Amino acid sequence: MDFWNSFWSIFWFFFWIYAVLAFVTILFSVIADLFRDKTLKGWHKAAWLVGLIFLPFLSILVYLIARGDGMTARNEQQAVARHDAQSAYIRSVSGVSLSDEINKARVLLDAGTITDEEYTLIKQKALSA
């Protein structure tokens, strides 16, 4: 019987660790989104922060319901900006420009190594990067 008591004690210990980490993650995501939002005024941000301090569960729930769509849009914008900055950095470090990639693909097309469809695909990839 001692094994099962210790098993459930361990189970609940890990369950509560997971719950606390999930709560803290959501809390910091909401706080980060508050400061990322440029349309929300300072007093509104302060009111949300006071709510998050004194009524965290309710405030997080209300925030996600009321402003969840905007939070998603801001996260997507940040991800796209980060991807574009990373792509620009990689291109600047590698020393290969878009025109170089397209010219190499054109040489391969003229040599008959690739087909027109492959050339078009390479060109689209180079231009979208």
Side-chain angles (χ1 to χ4, degrees), residues 70-82:
M71 187 175 180
T72 303
R74 284 183 290 278
N75 282 336
E76 288 176 1
Q77 288 173 351
Q78 185 181 23
V80 167
R82 190 179 305 128

Side-chain angles (χ1 to χ4, degrees), residues 56-110:
F57 291 109
L58 182 62
S59 297
I60 287 172
L61 183 64
V62 170
Y63 188 88
L64 292 176
I65 291 171
R67 301 181 51 84
D69 292 338
M71 187 175 180
T72 303
R74 284 183 290 278
N75 282 336
E76 288 176 1
Q77 288 173 351
Q78 185 181 23
V80 167
R82 190 179 305 128
H83 181 281
D84 291 344
Q86 182 182 16
S87 296
Y89 174 74
I90 290 171
R91 266 189 253 111
S92 71
V93 171
S94 68
V96 177
S97 68
L98 296 176
S99 61
D100 289 341
E101 290 182 32
I102 294 172
N103 286 338
K104 288 178 187 177
R106 185 66 186 180
V107 168
L108 291 173
L109 177 66
D110 292 341

